[in-house]
Amino acid sequence: RGFALIPEDRQREGLVQTMDIGKNLSLSSLKNYAKGIFLKSNEEESNIDKIIDEIHIKVADKRLPILSLSGGNQQKVVIGKGIMTNPKILLLDEPSRGIDIGAKTDVFEIMNHFADAGLSLLVVSSELEEIKSIADRIIVLSNGIKTAELAGDEITEDRLVMASYEGHNSGKKN
């Protein structure tokens, strides 16, 4: 339906740990390669290779176990799996959680690349500095309440912190 989710917990929700790297990448888009009860393996393999190159997954062989990759490259596989479904909207839930600073930079470059190509990205993050650096517009939800919508020069750490605090005070009586 044009919507892909990159879950917060890549190990539990984003990867099938018993499958290899290539199969993890193509798992969500298998319907694109189906021909009756068969798979168009050449097309699947070609698209796996293309996404590995496009998002710079550091892998010696796509048939290696997914757990042979670093956390950052595993995160790239989860993002690649979502991209291979050809979504219109990509929802990334805490995309930089649990990865090193170099991998975070790579993930943000991937996000910028696809945003520049016209893909809409929704990013859920609790990291204020990261979200400030990548967002065009920020909507703050605090305690289930929309407390702010900020864009451009309105996006400051002070405003984000105050908006986050508002949701925690709105239900309290004086």
Side-chain angles (χ1 to χ4, degrees), residues 6-65:
I6 309 307
E8 177 180 358
D9 187 342
R10 71 177 167 272
Q11 291 289 331
R12 201 179 75 202
E13 299 170 351
L15 300 169
V16 178
Q17 297 183 11
T18 57
M19 295 176 85
D20 66 35
I21 296 160
K23 293 301 179 190
N24 264 284
L25 277 165
S26 67
L27 187 62
S28 293
S29 57
L30 282 178
K31 69 175 182 175
N32 297 338
Y33 312 111
K35 185 174 184 179
I37 60 169
F38 299 101
L39 286 178
K40 297 181 265 181
S41 296
N42 290 342
E43 188 178 335
E44 178 188 13
E45 294 294 320
S46 174
N47 285 331
I48 289 169
D49 292 340
K50 179 182 169 200
I51 202 75
I52 286 172
D53 288 341
E54 189 171 10
I55 63 176
H56 310 291
I57 299 171
K58 294 175 184 84
V59 58
D61 186 342
K62 64 187 170 204
R63 289 174 284 283
L64 288 171

Side-chain angles (χ1 to χ4, degrees), residues 56-170:
H56 310 291
I57 299 171
K58 294 175 184 84
V59 58
D61 186 342
K62 64 187 170 204
R63 289 174 284 283
L64 288 171
I66 192 69
L67 295 178
S68 68
L69 295 179
S70 67
N73 280 299
Q74 288 178 14
Q75 184 69 352
K76 290 180 190 179
V77 168
V78 176
I79 293 169
K81 182 170 79 170
I83 296 296
M84 285 185 70
T85 66
N86 299 313
K88 292 182 180 109
I89 300 171
L90 188 64
L91 171 60
L92 299 109
D93 188 2
E94 300 286 352
S96 65
R97 178 157 292 162
I99 57 177
D100 66 48
I101 190 72
K104 285 182 184 188
T105 301
D106 289 347
V107 165
F108 292 134
E109 286 176 3
I110 291 165
M111 291 165 55
N112 284 328
H113 168 73
F114 285 102
D116 290 345
L119 181 61
S120 296
L121 304 176
L122 296 174
V123 181
V124 176
S125 180
S126 55
E127 300 290 331
L128 293 182
E129 285 303 316
E130 286 179 5
I131 205 73
K132 275 178 36 186
S133 69
I134 62 169
D136 295 323
R137 182 173 57 142
I138 298 174
I139 296 173
V140 179
L141 299 175
S142 179
N143 242 9
I145 300 165
K146 177 182 168 186
T147 56
E149 184 169 340
L150 308 169
D153 293 338
E154 297 174 326
I155 301 172
T156 65
E157 190 165 346
D158 287 344
R159 285 187 172 172
L160 290 171
V161 169
M162 289 305 292
S164 297
Y165 181 70
E166 275 182 47
H168 292 283
N169 278 342
S170 65

